[in-house]
């Protein structure tokens, strides 16, 4: 069997691989995930950062090499300097990187895994020969865990049981609920008295956003919750998922689809977070250009049409099963790792 490490600098919600956490705050942000890994007998190492980036990365690399790792997986993004440097310093025979917004161009990487085709196309034109393969591979989510998840009782959310509940789950809720996005949501609430909105994330009290909803006269039909340990319970209480724009989420879109929700997602540009939600929902559900009025009309049509949102939710659930299963992702990553090991053995590396 493969001996695999994956670096991660925040809480994990998307994987079942052995994990090396490379930042201490994970103890607070990922208690449930850490416990789950412990229960499964998966070793987890928490790297202290008090010594500085270089010293910490050196210590992580020594640990990786000391454990005889076969496949090392890097979360590749601008916010991951410790991860990037530890992978560069390590002597692991196969190194893969998961693209989360930007590539760590370095020699010795066997492959870069993209979950957003826009990113892969953008970087392909200038891709250096030494940077390994580019592979489109959807990260996915644990669909079965969402099937087991029980929806939150709407009374605990202070929302009427017969409301059409539109929602967003985001680690960056207030920052991503732009003025244009808030206006679109307010227009839907104004047009549909039966519609309510709930935003989940941050501290649960987004003052600027709440002021906007109040100014538009719909604050009484909005609710806000802090970041949830079990976001699936809130997702399963929704009727419709509204991805933020112009900068939007990705993992929450996949999770909403796994819960069988219709998802409104709009392509607002060619950067990762401007396009990833649109790439996930795909045709015919994606709104292909920046068009807030069309986004609002899409939400309004679903709010008024129970059967329409049921059909859309079923179709997106099938898409999640076909393209966004974390078990499929793990199998594909392991196959790439085994392929890389065979290649290094043949060339004597």
């Amino acid at each position: 069997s493969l001996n695999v490490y994956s670096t991660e600098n925040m809480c994990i919600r998307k994987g079942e691989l052995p994990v090396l956490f490379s930042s201490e705050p994970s103890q607070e942000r990922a208690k449930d995930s850490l416990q789950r890994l412990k229960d499964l007998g998966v070793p987890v190492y928490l790297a202290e950062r008090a010594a500085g980036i270089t010293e910490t990365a050196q210590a992580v690399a020594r640990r990786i090499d000391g454990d005889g790792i076969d496949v090392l997986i890097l979360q590749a993004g601008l916010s991951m300097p410790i991860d990037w440097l530890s992978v560069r310093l390590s002597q692991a025979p196969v190194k893969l990187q998961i693209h989360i917004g930007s590539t760590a161009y370095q020699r010795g990487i066997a492959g870069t895994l993209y979950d957003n085709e826009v990113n892969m196309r953008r970087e392909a034109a200038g891709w250096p020969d030494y940077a390994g393969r580019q592979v489109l591979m959807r990260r996915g989510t644990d669909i079965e865990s969402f099937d087991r998840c029980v929806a939150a009782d709407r009374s605990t959310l202070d929302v009427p049981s017969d409301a059409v509940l539109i929602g967003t789950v985001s680690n960056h809720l207030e920052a991503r609920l732009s003025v244009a996005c808030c206006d679109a949501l307010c227009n839907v609430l104004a047009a549909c008295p039966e519609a309510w909105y709930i935003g989940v994330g941050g501290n649960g009290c987004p003052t600027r956003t709440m002021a906007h909803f109040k100014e538009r006269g719909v604050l009484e039909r909005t609710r806000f919750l802090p970041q949830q340990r079990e976001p699936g319970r809130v997702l399963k209480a929704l009727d419709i998922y509204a991805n933020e724009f112009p900068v939007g989420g990705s993992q929450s879109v996949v999770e909403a689809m796994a819960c069988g929700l219709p998802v409104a997602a709009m392509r607002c540009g060619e950067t990762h977070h401007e396009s990833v939600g649109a790439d996930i929902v795909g045709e015919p559900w994606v709104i292909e250009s920046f068009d807030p009025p069309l986004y609002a009309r899409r939400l309004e049509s679903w709010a008024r049409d129970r059967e329409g949102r049921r059909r859309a939710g079923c179709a997106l659930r099938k898409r999640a099963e076909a393209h966004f299963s974390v078990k499929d992702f793990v199998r594909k990553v392991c196959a790439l790792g085994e392929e890389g090991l065979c290649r290094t053995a043949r060339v004597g590396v």
Side-chain angles (χ1 to χ4, degrees):
S1 62
L2 290 177
N3 197 4
V4 180
Y5 270 28
S6 177
T7 69
E8 176 63 88
N9 76 346
M10 293 183 290
C11 63
I12 61 165
R13 294 169 58 194
K14 57 185 178 293
E16 295 179 345
L17 291 169
V19 174
L20 167 69
F21 284 89
S22 62
S23 67
E24 187 177 5
S26 299
Q27 288 179 294
E28 295 302 319
R29 300 187 64 179
K31 288 181 179 178
D32 294 343
S33 296
L34 289 169
Q35 185 59 51
R36 182 183 178 194
L37 289 167
K38 181 179 179 181
D39 294 342
L40 292 170
V42 176
V44 176
Y45 304 115
L46 295 166
E48 300 284 350
R49 294 191 296 176
I53 290 176
T54 301
E55 292 82 357
T56 300
Q58 289 171 331
V60 172
R62 287 194 296 270
R63 185 66 188 249
I64 292 169
D65 294 341
D67 283 353
I69 295 305
D70 299 313
V71 180
L72 180 57
I73 302 172
L74 162 69
Q75 305 280 339
L78 293 175
S79 62
M80 319 288 277
I82 296 172
D83 310 58
W84 173 83
L85 186 54
S86 62
V87 170
R88 186 172 181 83
L89 294 172
S90 169
Q91 300 301 309
V94 178
K95 300 176 183 180
L96 302 171
Q97 60 180 348
I98 297 174
H99 190 285
I100 58 170
S102 61
T103 291
Y105 295 97
Q106 59 176 297
R107 298 182 185 277
I109 296 291
T112 297
L113 316 181
Y114 295 83
D115 70 341
N116 183 353
E117 191 171 3
V118 169
N119 289 329
M120 190 169 75
R121 289 200 308 265
R122 185 182 64 248
E123 295 183 349
W127 193 254
D129 293 337
Y130 64 76
R133 299 165 56 189
Q134 289 181 294
V135 182
L136 182 63
M137 189 179 293
R138 315 290 191 180
R139 283 179 290 180
T141 193
D142 187 348
I143 295 174
E144 293 176 0
S145 72
F146 285 99
D147 290 340
R148 296 189 296 269
C149 185
V150 177
D153 190 317
R154 286 196 174 180
S155 65
T156 66
L157 305 176
D158 194 22
V159 173
S161 60
D162 59 350
V164 177
L165 187 55
I166 303 167
T168 307
V169 178
S170 175
N171 290 332
H172 313 281
L173 187 68
E174 184 158 34
R176 291 184 176 176
L177 284 179
S178 64
V179 171
C181 186
C182 287
D183 275 335
L185 292 168
C186 289
N187 289 341
V188 175
L189 296 184
C192 303
E194 67 275 23
W196 286 57
Y197 174 78
I198 186 166
V200 181
N203 62 9
C205 187
T207 53
R208 175 185 57 79
T209 303
M210 293 174 69
H212 194 115
F213 279 84
K214 183 177 181 179
E215 183 179 343
R216 291 292 306 275
V218 294
L219 182 61
E220 70 277 2
R221 283 185 285 128
T222 65
R223 298 291 182 265
F224 294 96
L225 297 176
Q227 186 173 351
Q228 301 291 295
R229 281 194 170 186
E230 295 183 272
R233 298 193 68 240
V234 178
L235 286 170
K236 296 194 82 168
L238 302 180
D239 295 297
I240 303 166
Y241 190 84
N243 199 30
E244 321 97 291
F245 68 82
V247 174
S250 55
Q251 194 63 23
S252 292
V253 172
V254 175
E255 292 170 354
M257 290 164 56
C259 291
L261 292 174
V263 178
M266 186 162 61
R267 192 180 306 282
C268 302
E270 292 299 302
T271 66
H272 176 66
H273 288 297
E274 290 176 327
S275 61
V276 65
D279 190 67
I280 289 168
V281 299
E283 295 287 354
W285 311 107
V286 59
I287 299 171
E288 278 289 6
S289 61
F290 185 75
D291 191 341
L294 178 57
Y295 177 93
R297 290 196 298 272
R298 175 72 55 83
L299 291 175
E300 184 179 341
S301 67
W302 281 336
R304 297 182 184 279
D305 182 2
R306 180 190 297 269
E307 179 59 22
R309 62 179 183 262
R310 187 197 68 79
R311 288 196 302 269
C314 287
L316 287 168
R317 163 66 189 221
K318 290 179 180 177
R319 179 170 170 80
E321 292 172 346
H323 299 289
F324 297 98
S325 164
V326 74
K327 291 184 177 180
D328 289 343
F329 173 76
V330 170
R331 283 193 291 268
K332 291 175 182 177
V333 170
C334 289
L336 275 178
E338 290 170 344
E339 179 185 331
L341 283 174
C342 290
R343 187 180 299 112
T344 56
R346 285 197 301 270
V347 299
V349 176

